[in-house]
Amino acid sequence: MHPLLIEGLTDAIGFVAGALLAWRIGRMLGFDPMAQGSGGSAIGGIVLAGLGGGIGLSLARRLRSRRRNDKP
């Protein structure tokens, strides 16, 4: 498989997985990014989802670079 395709897919999977996990945690804490209006609950949920997506993307890139370094 082409290396750029692998890079794009792992980045996308990491971002989406991180955002979904953060969204679930935010819902448990009372933040809802899908709430109507622009209240504190909606803003907090959006911020958490963005942070989770960024963390998931970062983890995916670290795992990919670690696998690349492990290969002979």
Side-chain angles (χ1 to χ4, degrees):
M1 196 180 291
H2 197 277
L4 290 177
L5 179 61
I6 292 171
E7 181 179 348
L9 288 175
T10 56
D11 282 354
I13 290 169
F15 181 83
V16 170
L20 287 175
L21 182 64
W23 177 67
R24 283 279 196 206
I25 292 170
R27 291 282 311 251
M28 289 190 312
L29 295 174
F31 297 108
D32 185 10
M34 301 297 186
Q36 284 198 309
S38 58
S41 174
I43 300 296
I46 292 168
V47 168
L48 281 175
L51 286 173
I55 291 169
L57 176 63
S58 177
L59 287 174
R61 288 182 177 176
R62 282 186 192 171
L63 289 173
R64 192 174 57 239
S65 73
R66 189 176 298 160
R67 282 192 84 178
R68 190 177 309 135
N69 291 338
D70 287 345
K71 289 186 179 180

